[in-house]
Amino acid sequence: MKRLPTLVEGLDEILNGGLFEGGVYIFEGPPGVGKTTLANQIAYTLARRETRTLYVTMLAESHARMLQHMEQQIFFDQQEVSANVFYVSGYRELDKGGLKAVVELLRGELMRHRASLLVVDGLVVDSLEAMTNDSVRQFVHELQSLVSALSCTCLVLTSGNSNALSAEQTMVDGIFSFEDHGFHWRAERRMQVRKFRGSQIIRGQHTFCISTQGVQFFPRLESLPLADTSVKLGQGVISTGLPALDNVLHAKGLFIGSASAIMGHTGSGKTTLALAFASAPNAAAPSLVLSCTELGGDLRRLGSEMGLDIEAAISAGNLTIKNLGHEDESMDEMGHKLLRLVDELKIRRLVLDGVAGLADTLAFPERGYRFLGRLLMELRRREVTSLFTIDPGALAAAAGTPLAEGVTGWFDNVFTFEPEPSSKRQVNQRILGISKVRGGGAAELSVDIFRPFSA
């Protein structure tokens, strides 16, 4: 069967290629969850490829009001209105003649505009419940026959749910459920494909966001098809950025593609060591620092105070510092953002400062362990050497459970700043324990983390 790609970021990936031509798909969910924005986004994106859309509204709200909201979206193009995107109201037909009159309206308008995509927006639960199951079933049957004969794909947008719309749900080709999931003071937008005929899909719930760019979907990272299951560590070695640490490692550095965890409580030196690693890149191996707790300006100042070549690396384009996890980003959104930056900037050294930022999401307590494992696998597949800082207390507080010990099982190397009381150590010194090294071992190391690294 021929596909109709939606061209919406992440959605075609979930659907394994897009919708099917001639199919009828229900988008269901509460008002304000993003169904109308998504349908318009698909319509205007397809319009750039000269694909026509007939958009039929069943509500009393005027098209002008809808378009006013769409004007804020980057995908909207006023020139496409009545050129490739045609708006028609079906409110009067539904009110006067019921669903049968709506079908006749759709038939005439589809033939007149020769549209490849039909959107029926606003089939409200209350109005459908007032009709018999037979009339609803007949409507869906005629709708399917109509779009199949005209090689047109149909989206039905409704505020219904699985109980209220059972009549047509048994007959359509796909059902997409949207929700605004809230937990305490946080919320995530989620979508689940509950039914999809003709193809395998990525099942389960996927988060999405709405911005001026439209709707963006973030498929569950651990559920994506594996491109290569036999990814191994690279043969080369790169410096940790700290010569004293390189010297006690048997490999004299970190294997390319390895993932390292730096454990320690606040103020122990995790970020300082991470910045030393990130500030030793070159044009062939650029670095990326993603901070979940501190602002980029603060990290640059800290690196400069420690004698690291942070500013020089940034000026040369070899180091990028960005924040991660702000504005209620979901765990999957952060994961996809991280990998996108790695690919776009051709990153070879990665620092994620503060795994607790990933854990402070709704999905982490249930999926965090598998998610992190898949994220590290994707980084290794890209030959990215990564370093993650972990504060066990902050991670436990963010996730609501003490997960630190289990999470470290995914890492190739684990370094721990021991909680040595200041009375038992020399001034400006920390004890760095090396509890796990892939391909070798090392002894305990006493490191003066406040000595300028350039010295």
Side-chain angles (χ1 to χ4, degrees):
M1 294 186 291
K2 186 178 179 180
R3 293 269 191 173
L4 178 70
T6 66
L7 305 179
V8 174
E9 182 179 346
L11 183 55
D12 290 332
E13 193 172 10
I14 294 171
L15 301 179
N16 196 28
L19 305 171
F20 285 104
E21 186 180 277
V24 177
Y25 301 92
I26 289 180
F27 287 3
E28 63 178 21
V33 78
K35 304 184 299 295
T36 296
T37 300
L38 176 58
N40 276 278
Q41 181 178 348
I42 296 172
Y44 283 97
T45 306
L46 291 175
R48 299 193 191 100
R49 298 189 174 188
E50 300 300 321
T51 299
R52 293 187 166 194
T53 296
L54 174 63
Y55 200 111
V56 181
T57 58
M58 311 304 295
L59 301 175
E61 182 182 40
S62 68
H63 298 144
R65 186 64 177 269
M66 179 191 296
L67 294 179
Q68 285 178 352
H69 295 301
M70 290 302 113
E71 286 176 354
Q72 308 302 317
Q73 303 294 330
I74 293 176
F75 61 76
F76 178 76
D77 186 352
Q78 181 66 48
Q79 295 182 347
E80 298 292 356
V81 178
S82 298
N84 283 311
V85 182
F86 305 91
Y87 291 94
V88 174
S89 175
Y91 176 76
R92 180 174 301 178
E93 282 75 9
L94 180 63
D95 185 52
K96 300 293 184 181
L99 293 174
K100 187 175 182 62
V102 173
V103 172
E104 293 304 316
L105 172 67
L106 298 179
R107 179 178 288 108
E109 294 295 331
L110 281 174
M111 295 181 67
R112 184 159 73 95
H113 296 295
R114 293 174 287 112
S116 297
L117 176 66
L118 168 64
V119 178
V120 181
D121 188 356
L123 283 180
V124 183
V125 173
D126 293 341
S127 63
L128 290 177
E129 286 182 334
M131 303 174 186
T132 66
N133 280 348
D134 287 341
S135 64
V136 176
R137 189 178 295 109
Q138 181 67 23
F139 169 73
V140 175
H141 175 72
E142 293 184 10
L143 188 60
Q144 285 181 313
S145 300
L146 177 61
V147 297
S148 179
L150 298 177
S151 298
C152 177
T153 303
C154 179
L155 307 179
V156 179
L157 280 53
T158 174
S159 60
N161 53 56
S162 57
N163 295 324
L165 300 177
S166 58
E168 72 261 38
Q169 285 187 352
T170 60
M171 305 170 65
V172 297
D173 298 283
I175 303 171
F176 297 69
S177 294
F178 297 80
E179 67 170 327
D180 198 355
H181 181 78
F183 183 75
H184 295 316
W185 62 89
R186 293 180 294 182
E188 282 185 355
R189 289 187 170 96
R190 297 178 179 178
M191 185 276 292
Q192 181 177 4
V193 184
R194 296 199 294 108
K195 177 181 179 180
F196 196 82
R197 288 176 174 172
S199 173
Q200 292 289 331
I201 59 170
I202 303 179
R203 301 180 61 190
Q205 292 185 324
H206 308 279
T207 56
F208 67 97
C209 73
I210 304 175
S211 66
T212 56
Q213 296 182 353
V215 182
Q216 295 172 281
F217 290 88
F218 308 102
R220 292 199 332 279
L221 201 63
E222 67 272 25
S223 299
L224 294 176
L226 286 170
D228 188 355
T229 58
S230 59
V231 180
K232 298 180 180 180
L233 289 177
Q235 297 300 314
V237 173
I238 64 174
S239 172
T240 63
L242 187 61
L245 180 55
D246 290 340
N247 290 335
V248 300
L249 296 174
H250 290 178
K252 302 304 178 183
L254 304 174
F255 285 110
I256 292 175
S258 65
S260 301
I262 303 180
M263 310 286 295
H265 297 288
T266 300
S268 61
K270 303 184 302 300
T271 299
T272 304
L273 178 53
L275 288 176
F277 170 74
S279 63
N282 53 56
S287 294
L288 171 65
V289 175
L290 294 173
S291 176
C292 295
T293 55
E294 299 188 59
L295 297 177
D298 293 335
L299 292 179
R300 294 172 69 165
R301 185 177 65 254
L302 172 62
S304 298
E305 291 174 352
M306 301 308 301
L308 301 172
D309 294 329
I310 294 287
E311 297 301 330
I314 293 176
S315 299
N318 298 331
L319 172 61
T320 302
I321 299 178
K322 289 185 175 292
N323 292 102
L324 190 68
H326 289 220
E327 299 180 358
D328 291 328
E329 292 177 349
S330 69
M331 184 175 70
D332 290 296
E333 183 174 356
M334 286 189 274
H336 282 276
K337 177 180 179 180
L338 184 157
L339 294 176
R340 175 175 54 79
L341 287 171
V342 165
D343 292 339
E344 290 178 353
L345 302 175
K346 297 180 170 43
I347 297 301
R348 289 295 175 265
R349 290 172 178 255
L350 170 72
V351 168
L352 194 151
D353 188 27
V355 173
L358 286 174
D360 192 21
T361 56
L362 293 180
F364 192 88
E366 295 182 359
R367 297 174 38 226
Y369 183 78
R370 297 187 300 276
F371 171 88
L372 187 57
R374 181 57 184 274
L375 179 62
L376 297 182
M377 183 181 296
E378 290 296 325
L379 292 173
R380 176 177 294 183
R381 186 171 66 83
R382 292 165 168 80
E383 297 185 342
V384 175
T385 307
S386 59
L387 192 153
F388 288 57
T389 69
I390 301 176
D391 182 334
L395 179 60
T401 178
L403 296 172
E405 293 184 4
V407 164
T408 58
W410 287 115
F411 291 91
D412 302 294
N413 315 303
V414 179
F415 307 106
T416 304
F417 280 99
E418 303 295 344
E420 194 77 11
S422 58
S423 60
K424 294 185 179 181
R425 67 166 184 253
Q426 298 181 34
V427 178
N428 290 342
Q429 285 192 331
R430 300 290 187 273
I431 303 299
L432 181 64
I434 304 176
S435 56
K436 178 182 178 182
V437 176
R438 185 78 66 182
E444 213 174 56
L445 178 66
S446 177
V447 183
D448 183 350
I449 66 167
F450 293 105
R451 181 183 302 150
F453 285 92
S454 57

